[in-house]
């Protein structure tokens, strides 16, 4: 599962930082992480409007949002549980 691997990467980098890792920069610098999420969401919206690079930009959003969530101790399992509660 690619998303699961991404979540595991974020957790692993947080526990065992790797020298020069972009993921570690995002995990340790919450302001940078926040700015990147906002930037990537805007780029995705532009790509959708222009019908270009939508998949690439959506992947960037997933990656940066995952790092932002992990940096702020927001567990994907808790998000999934919340979404599960919303089922009608």
């Amino acid at each position: 599962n690619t998303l699961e691997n991404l979540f595991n990467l974020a957790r692993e980098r947080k526990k065992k930082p790797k020298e020069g890792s972009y993921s570690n920069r995002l995990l340790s610098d919450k302001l940078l992480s926040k700015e990147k999420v906002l930037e990537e969401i805007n780029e995705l919206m532009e790509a959708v409007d222009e019908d270009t690079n939508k998949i690439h930009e959506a992947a960037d959003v997933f990656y940066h949002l995952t790092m932002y969530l992990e940096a702020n101790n927001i567990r994907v399992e808790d998000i999934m549980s919340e979404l599960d509660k919303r089922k009608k």
Side-chain angles (χ1 to χ4, degrees):
N1 182 327
T2 303
L3 277 178
E4 188 174 329
N5 291 341
L6 181 58
F7 301 134
N8 289 336
L9 170 73
R11 288 176 181 167
E12 183 65 25
R13 284 293 197 285
K14 192 173 179 182
K15 287 180 193 173
K16 297 179 186 175
K18 186 175 177 182
E19 184 71 29
S21 166
Y22 178 61
S23 296
N24 279 120
R25 280 189 58 211
L26 293 170
L27 290 165
S28 63
D29 186 341
K30 291 182 182 183
L31 181 58
L32 173 64
S33 187
K34 178 182 176 179
E35 289 172 351
K36 289 304 292 182
V37 168
L38 294 171
E39 175 186 322
E40 296 301 339
I41 288 173
N42 282 325
E43 288 178 8
L44 173 59
M45 287 189 252
E46 287 176 24
V48 169
D49 289 344
E50 297 169 8
D51 197 23
T52 60
N53 287 335
K54 296 179 284 192
I55 303 304
H56 176 87
E57 297 302 341
D60 284 351
V61 169
F62 271 91
Y63 168 77
H64 286 90
L65 182 58
T66 298
M67 296 304 146
Y68 177 79
L69 294 172
E70 187 63 33
N72 288 282
N73 300 311
I74 301 169
R75 294 173 30 91
V76 68
E77 293 86 356
D78 296 334
I79 296 167
M80 294 299 115
S81 177
E82 177 62 28
L83 288 171
D84 223 19
K85 291 177 194 173
R86 297 178 184 195
K87 287 182 184 174
K88 293 185 179 191

